């Protein structure tokens, strides 16, 4: 009697890190030779659960060390209260649960949400990672997505035609602590759009098609500066995480050597305890050098931990700059060691390599330098407007201000351009010093500055700039400030915010002395916070003929 497993095969498709070009994991895809077993699994939770177990066992037979992505229908999780058989299969295969990500697949309609959330919580408690699959092309409600708090969100490539939606989803992922992936990427244009919108991972025919053998060779198109989303207070370490090669802390030196010699691309091995917490770090070159020595054969049966070093670790929420701080501590001989990335429980979720960080940070610095104003070294309008769009997408209230010097042409003509340049540099420095957390300052040319701030941080900045005595070449000057307060939903993009700001700048320039006007997007009129209204023009004096009746 034939079983459904007799005609079932599995294919492996890489999920690719767009920053490093490394394979972040392998999605295991069922490929039946006959019939539609996925349609049957959608109706039969027990069958779907057995498919997940078979997928893991198929990966083990291929001897892949990469993390795995296993597809399970949302209804299956809700009906079975989790996947008890999968946890056993993973352990039997010698893998750790946090090396396996459960891709929760639609449909979600008619799935009991409480039961689904309880099942997801149970899986997460066992160590599995959770991915919300098919977002944008399925029926996953946003509220449920937020409640699931996935580690990864997979968007359908069709959404790349709506970059604002992808950017908004990246913002949501940042809030949830999740990575953003795009699946179904087939062209270089789609890959560039995914990068520009802020996606960190991708999979699709362009990068690597599904294959019977787990392939680690992928194609990632060369990046241009225009493809890359603007940096956010330093790149997150999440963007650079590579899969870690893990062995139990009790592993022998012979086991580590066999793994390293059979996997030339592996730069090191982390030895972890039963909870998945790194306890020792084994560097490839130093370890193999020790094993190749005169008495190396005597080390084969000794614990590999004896030849390792204390692991260097960073939290999953760290920035790339914080990783460099960790690398800088200790001897120079360890600068090439992988840094372990751990979750809130201290469990290893991957590693980062110094070369990836240095390359990306160098690119970031070049891109930032290209956009800086040469006089003040402040970013230009593109940086500020990009951040405006991100705050709009995240639903945050913000203020956008335009500050400039009154009668700056007269200042230049009277005091000279050198004095004018020094004044502009001084204003730029003062703005930077007055900026608090959440405030971005840009110099868009001439004497014009843009300030993006949180509403509560604006008053101290305005006071510090408008109360200060300014002069150029001994001539006193004043500043004008125009601000538009944008409540959530009041503007759709940075262009609309700028259009709201333009009339406010005109109103501020019409006042005498240091001036500040404040308006609200979508609300007519404005409030004058600083500055005096100009005096009315005197009545004209009439000359010539006397008035009728005059003497």
């Amino acid at each position: 009697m034939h079983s459904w497993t007799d005609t079932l095969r599995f294919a492996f498709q890489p999920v690719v890190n767009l920053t490093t070009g490394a394979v972040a994991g392998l999605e295991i895809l069922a490929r039946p030779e006959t019939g539609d077993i996925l349609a049957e699994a959608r109706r039969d939770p027990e069958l779907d659960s057995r498919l997940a177990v078979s997928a893991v066992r198929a990966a083990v037979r291929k001897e892949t060390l990469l993390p795995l992505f296993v597809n399970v229908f949302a209804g299956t999780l809700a009906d079975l209260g989790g996947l008890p058989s999968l946890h056993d299969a993973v352990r039997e295969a010698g893998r750790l649960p946090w090396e396996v990500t459960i891709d929760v697949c639609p449909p979600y309609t008619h799935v009991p949400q409480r039961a689904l959330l309880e099942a997801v919580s149970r899986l997460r408690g066992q160590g599995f990672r959770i991915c919300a699959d098919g977002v944008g092309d399925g029926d996953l409600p946003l509220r449920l997505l937020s409640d699931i708090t996935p580690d990864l969100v997979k968007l359908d490539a069709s959404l790349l035609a709506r970059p604002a939606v992808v950017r908004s989803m990246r913002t949501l992922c940042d809030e949830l602590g999740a990575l953003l992936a795009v699946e179904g990427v087939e062209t270089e244009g789609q890959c560039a759009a995914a990068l520009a919108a802020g996606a960190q991972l991708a999979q699709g025919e362009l990068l690597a098609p599904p294959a019977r053998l787990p392939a680690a060779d992928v194609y990632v198109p060369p990046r241009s500066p225009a493809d890359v989303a603007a940096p956010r207070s330093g790149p997150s370490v999440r963007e650079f995480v590579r899969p870690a090669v893990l062995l139990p802390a009790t592993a022998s030196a012979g086991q580590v050597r066999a793994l390293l010699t059979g996997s030339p691309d592996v730069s090191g091995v982390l030895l972890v305890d039963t909870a998945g917490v790194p306890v020792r770090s084994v560097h490839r070159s130093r370890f193999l050098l020790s094993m190749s020595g005169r008495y190396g054969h005597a080390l084969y049966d000794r614990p590999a931990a004896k030849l390792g070093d204390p692991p260097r670790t960073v939290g999953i929420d760290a920035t790339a700059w914080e990783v460099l701080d960790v690398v800088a501590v200790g001897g120079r001989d360890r600068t090439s060691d992988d840094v372990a990335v751990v979750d809130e429980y201290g469990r290893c979720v991957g590693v980062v390599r110094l070369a990836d960080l240095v390359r990306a940070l160098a690119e970031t610095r070049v891109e930032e330098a290209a956009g800086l104003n040469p006089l003040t070294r402040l970013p230009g309008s593109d940086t500020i407007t990009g951040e405006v769009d991100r705050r709009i997408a995240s639903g945050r209230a913000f203020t956008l201000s335009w500050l400039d010097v009154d009668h700056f042409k007269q200042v230049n003509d009277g005091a000279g351009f050198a004095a004018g340049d020094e004044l502009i540099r001084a204003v730029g420095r003062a703005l930077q010093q007055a900026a608090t957390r959440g405030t971005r300052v840009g110099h868009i040319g001439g004497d014009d500055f843009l300030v993006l701030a949180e509403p509560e941080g604006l008053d101290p900045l305005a006071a510090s700039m408008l109360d200060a005595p300014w002069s150029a070449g001994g001539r006193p000057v004043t500043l004008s400030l125009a601000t538009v307060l944008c409540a959530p939903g009041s503007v759709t993009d940075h262009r609309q915010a700028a259009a709201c700001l333009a009339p406010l700048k005109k109103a501020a320039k019409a006042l005498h002395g240091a001036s500040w006007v404040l308006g609200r997007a979508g609300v007519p009129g404005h409030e004058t916070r600083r500055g005096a209204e100009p005096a009315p023009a005197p009545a004209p004096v009439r000359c010539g003929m006397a008035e009728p009746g005059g003497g």
Side-chain angles (χ1 to χ4, degrees):
M1 179 179 177
H2 288 288
S3 167
W4 58 269
T5 57
D6 295 336
T7 59
L8 181 64
R9 300 293 182 269
F10 290 95
F12 302 87
Q13 185 171 38
V15 178
V16 181
N17 185 315
L18 292 175
T19 300
T20 65
V23 177
L26 296 172
E27 181 174 356
I28 314 173
L29 304 167
R31 290 290 187 262
E33 293 181 3
T34 59
D36 189 353
I37 196 169
L38 294 181
E40 295 179 39
R42 187 180 298 123
R43 297 187 295 267
D44 184 348
E46 291 291 347
L47 174 59
D48 193 28
S49 176
R50 293 198 297 274
L51 271 177
V53 170
S54 298
V56 170
R57 289 173 177 164
V60 171
R61 289 194 294 271
K62 302 299 183 181
E63 297 183 347
T64 177
L65 297 173
L66 290 166
L68 306 175
F69 290 78
V70 178
N71 293 296
V72 181
F73 289 110
T76 296
L77 296 181
D79 286 346
L80 300 182
L83 295 169
S85 56
L86 182 65
H87 185 267
D88 295 338
V90 169
R91 288 293 189 181
E92 291 169 5
R95 302 299 294 265
L96 296 168
W98 37 95
E99 296 179 89
V100 178
T101 298
I102 307 298
D103 279 13
V104 185
C105 303
Y108 290 86
T109 303
H110 307 307
V111 173
Q113 292 192 7
R114 176 173 293 182
L116 174 60
L117 292 174
E118 289 175 353
V120 166
S121 177
R122 188 170 294 111
L123 287 167
R124 185 172 279 121
Q126 293 172 334
F128 291 107
R129 305 200 177 281
I130 304 299
C131 167
D133 202 352
V135 175
D137 194 39
D139 58 346
L140 175 59
L142 278 178
R143 179 175 177 178
L144 180 58
L145 174 63
S146 178
D147 290 341
I148 290 174
T149 59
D151 301 285
L152 177 68
V153 171
K154 283 187 179 180
L155 291 185
D156 187 80
S158 62
L159 286 181
L160 293 173
R162 301 171 175 83
V165 175
V166 184
R167 289 195 298 270
S168 299
M169 188 57 64
R170 169 62 194 270
T171 299
L172 176 60
C173 285
D174 287 346
E175 293 291 331
L176 296 176
L179 293 175
L180 179 64
V182 177
E183 53 186 351
V185 174
E186 298 180 351
T187 67
E188 294 199 6
Q190 287 181 322
C191 189
L195 269 168
Q200 297 132 322
L201 304 171
Q203 63 184 123
E205 292 284 340
L206 173 72
L207 307 169
R212 289 292 176 86
L213 294 177
D217 294 328
V218 297
Y219 168 72
V220 180
R223 299 195 306 167
S224 67
D227 293 335
V228 187
R232 305 176 176 205
S233 303
S236 167
V237 73
R238 295 171 183 267
E239 300 179 24
F240 305 95
V241 174
R242 291 174 176 262
V245 177
L246 308 177
L247 283 178
T250 55
S252 68
Q255 289 176 296
V256 173
R257 183 184 183 279
L259 189 155
L260 291 176
T261 54
S263 307
D265 294 332
V266 173
S267 57
V269 176
L270 287 172
L271 305 179
V272 297
D273 64 16
T274 54
V277 176
V279 294
R280 300 295 281 180
S281 173
V282 178
H283 183 268
R284 179 187 186 89
S285 299
R286 293 198 300 275
F287 175 83
L288 292 179
L289 184 62
S290 298
M291 296 292 290
S292 63
R294 183 175 180 181
Y295 301 105
H297 63 280
L299 301 175
Y300 274 58
D301 294 327
R302 296 191 62 185
K306 297 288 186 181
L307 299 176
D309 299 289
R312 291 175 164 176
T313 62
V314 295
I316 190 64
D317 295 320
T319 67
W321 296 109
E322 291 173 300
V323 178
L324 291 185
D325 290 340
V326 170
V327 172
V329 176
R332 293 184 179 181
D333 61 326
R334 296 199 62 191
T335 54
S336 61
D337 287 19
D338 293 342
V339 177
V341 182
V342 298
D343 62 15
E344 65 270 27
Y345 303 107
R347 303 177 305 201
C348 181
V349 299
V351 296
V352 291
R353 294 180 179 175
L354 180 62
D356 291 338
L357 296 182
V358 172
R359 186 183 307 113
L361 292 175
E363 291 173 354
T364 298
R365 283 292 182 251
V366 170
E367 292 158 16
E368 288 179 348
L372 297 181
N373 186 286
L375 185 61
T376 59
R377 309 303 295 168
L378 289 173
S381 60
D382 286 348
T383 299
I384 303 301
T385 55
E387 181 63 25
V388 167
D389 284 337
R390 282 189 285 276
R391 297 197 188 190
I392 292 172
S394 66
R396 296 166 57 187
F398 64 90
T399 62
L400 183 63
S401 300
W402 191 320
L403 181 139
D404 69 351
V405 178
D406 294 328
H407 312 297
F408 184 64
K409 185 178 186 304
Q410 297 177 20
V411 172
N412 263 348
D413 291 344
F417 71 88
D421 285 352
E422 181 53 41
L423 173 63
I424 295 303
R425 281 192 286 267
V427 171
R429 287 193 299 269
L431 278 172
Q432 285 182 296
Q433 292 168 1
T436 57
R437 183 178 178 83
T439 299
R440 300 293 300 273
V441 177
H443 183 191
I444 60 177
D447 63 323
D448 293 316
F449 295 85
L450 281 178
V451 181
L452 175 63
E454 306 286 350
E456 60 273 11
L458 187 60
D459 282 350
L461 184 143
S464 67
M465 297 303 297
L466 300 179
D467 289 344
W470 298 99
S471 64
R475 299 166 179 260
V477 297
T478 56
L479 307 180
S480 291
L481 180 66
T483 300
V484 59
L485 172 60
C486 298
S490 61
V491 290
T492 57
D493 60 17
H494 70 270
R495 296 176 184 85
Q496 191 173 2
C500 294
L501 188 57
L504 299 175
K505 180 190 177 187
K506 184 176 181 181
K509 300 300 289 184
L511 300 173
H512 285 314
S515 60
W516 180 20
V517 299
L518 173 69
R520 289 169 171 77
V523 178
H526 63 267
E527 172 189 351
T528 299
R529 294 198 164 187
R530 294 284 186 97
E533 296 288 345
V541 177
R542 304 184 64 180
C543 303
M545 294 179 62
E547 294 290 340

